[in-house]
Amino acid sequence: MENPTSNRIRIIDALRGFALAGVCLVHMNEQYIASAPSESLMEVTNSVFDQILGGIIGFFIIGKFFALFSILFGLSFFIQMNSADKRNEDFGLRFLWRAFLLFIIGYVHQLFYKGDILTIYALLAPFLIPFYRLSNKWVLLVSGLFLISIPRFISYAFLGNESAFGLSPVMDGNSVTNLNYITTLKEGSITEVFSVNGSQGMLQKMDFQIGLFARFYLTFGYFLIGLWLGKIGLFHNVKEKIPLVKKWLKRGLIGFVIALVLTAGIFALSPQPVDFNSWLHVLGINAYDWSNIALTAIILSGFILLYQKKRGYRFFSFFESYGRMALTNYVLQSIVGTFLLFGWGLGLLGKLQTRYLIIIAFALIALQAITSKLWLQRFKYGPFEWLWRSATKGKIQTFKK
């Protein structure tokens, strides 16, 4: 194995690539619509086998790998700020500029796929800066307030299950707004898809982020966890932290079981059908998010422990180059996915069973991972990473090795 410094970088890259692979599986399974699917769109995936596959992805991946990706964003923020501190530089303003550039990249990505997360990261990034100087105790406390979704209760008190922008409820797959959107994806030209994603799609995404599903607040909580992991030096020398990681794994398992029992109990007591018009429904989805948080801790801890093993290292190291080019791969996988599914491309939306969507996702992950490794043998950065870095520094960076 590598020395501690090299190993620290490699495990972070591998974890980022692993998280991105999970994100790709989720997006492909959801057919890149980033909305509740209509009944007609789900007809082809109504077989028992497809429902089992969808259930496995929903239970083990949805909401967990995005969380890992978000934690790593907070960790990257710490690494950048800490490196600047060691050079006696103030990275705050440059980080704001970097976030602005990320928003531009994210908005271009949004035109293809309205579930883009980069614009959300860019909007939240400036709020990380004050937390860099705070003690670990305060970082964890504020993170906890976000992760138990205090902002969700405030939002629900004001908005209920209604849209902040006067749109149809985000989970109503058969609303006129959603049906028209899916029709545009299936039959519209690329300019029509860009138009709806760049305007209405952005508002629908923000509904999902700041409304009942509270993804905006959870994301920032995960950012702070990543910052805290950087502050405690988790990846500086992983072997020293193994006892701590094992403790997190045990606590995650206990928390996961408790959260699932709470979720099941609350929804059993809540009004049926579940339409999120009751405070019990809000408490239920909150408990479900706690199960996601606990499972994320289990996956993170398990990854770290397995990475220290010979076989685990061999498997997870496959994702290192993929993770080093995470920005490029994230954007390109959406372009490829939407080309395969949307009407401006091959038009396969609603025509593929879940099993085939998963096979395509795995093939895309493998292709991107192999291509990334070959690319990084000749170049220092991925294409989008190079553009982002050059624009951040205001100077063309060396591209070839």
Side-chain angles (χ1 to χ4, degrees), residues 95-337:
F95 183 74
L96 289 175
W97 171 241
R98 183 177 170 85
F100 173 73
L101 293 170
L102 184 64
F103 184 88
I104 295 174
I105 296 170
Y107 190 76
V108 173
H109 179 239
Q110 167 84 24
L111 299 178
F112 289 92
Y113 171 55
K114 79 171 182 182
D116 160 75
I117 196 63
L118 301 178
T119 48
I120 302 302
Y121 281 10
L123 291 172
L124 286 170
F127 298 101
L128 273 172
I129 295 174
F131 287 92
Y132 177 70
R133 302 291 178 189
L134 289 183
S135 69
N136 292 353
K137 177 180 68 177
W138 283 105
V139 172
L140 273 183
L141 176 63
V142 177
S143 174
L145 293 175
F146 279 96
L147 291 179
I148 64 173
S149 289
I150 296 299
R152 166 187 278 137
F153 297 120
I154 298 171
S155 173
Y156 189 75
F158 283 97
L159 295 174
N161 194 26
E162 298 300 315
S163 163
F165 307 102
L167 301 171
S168 303
V170 69
M171 293 306 292
D172 184 358
N174 295 308
S175 69
V176 173
T177 300
N178 199 54
L179 291 174
N180 288 339
Y181 177 68
I182 291 174
T183 298
T184 300
L185 298 186
K186 293 178 74 171
E187 302 173 7
S189 65
I190 192 167
T191 54
E192 289 172 327
V193 172
F194 281 6
S195 177
V196 72
N197 278 345
S199 52
Q200 175 189 297
M202 193 72 174
L203 295 180
Q204 287 179 313
K205 180 174 75 174
M206 292 309 298
D207 260 343
F208 180 78
Q209 293 287 331
I210 66 176
L212 176 65
F213 293 91
R215 187 61 68 87
F216 199 70
Y217 321 117
L218 290 170
T219 300
F220 192 68
Y222 288 128
F223 279 7
L224 293 178
I225 291 294
L227 171 59
W228 175 71
L229 292 178
K231 289 166 80 71
I232 67 170
L234 173 63
F235 295 102
H236 182 69
N237 193 333
V238 176
K239 289 185 179 180
E240 290 183 358
K241 299 293 192 300
I242 291 301
L244 181 62
V245 174
K246 289 181 177 178
K247 187 182 294 185
W248 292 344
L249 180 60
K250 291 177 183 177
R251 290 177 178 177
L253 288 166
I254 294 170
F256 182 61
V257 172
I258 293 173
L260 283 182
V261 171
L262 273 175
T263 303
I266 292 170
F267 278 119
L269 294 171
S270 64
Q272 301 297 322
V274 175
D275 56 8
F276 300 108
N277 281 317
S278 162
W279 276 100
L280 276 175
H281 295 155
V282 181
L283 289 172
I285 197 172
N286 225 45
Y288 179 72
D289 278 341
W290 296 340
S291 74
N292 282 343
I293 294 166
L295 189 49
T296 300
I298 293 169
I299 295 170
L300 175 59
S301 302
F303 181 97
I304 293 170
L305 294 174
L306 289 172
Y307 194 84
Q308 308 310 306
K309 307 292 184 182
K310 193 171 183 179
R311 289 183 180 178
Y313 175 78
R314 284 179 179 173
F315 175 74
F316 290 122
S317 61
F318 174 78
F319 297 99
E320 287 174 11
S321 297
Y322 189 51
R324 281 183 61 191
M325 288 177 51
L327 178 62
T328 296
N329 286 325
Y330 175 66
V331 173
L332 289 182
Q333 68 186 211
S334 294
I335 294 174
V336 171

Side-chain angles (χ1 to χ4, degrees), residues 27-33 41 182 185-187 333-352 357 360:
H27 290 172
M28 191 65 73
N29 178 62
E30 295 175 344
Q31 301 188 71
Y32 281 93
I33 63 173
L41 199 66
I182 291 174
L185 298 186
K186 293 178 74 171
E187 302 173 7
Q333 68 186 211
S334 294
I335 294 174
V336 171
T338 54
F339 170 76
L340 291 173
L341 296 166
F342 293 179
W344 61 264
L346 299 185
L348 297 175
L349 186 65
K351 298 178 181 178
L352 295 174
L357 292 168
I360 291 170

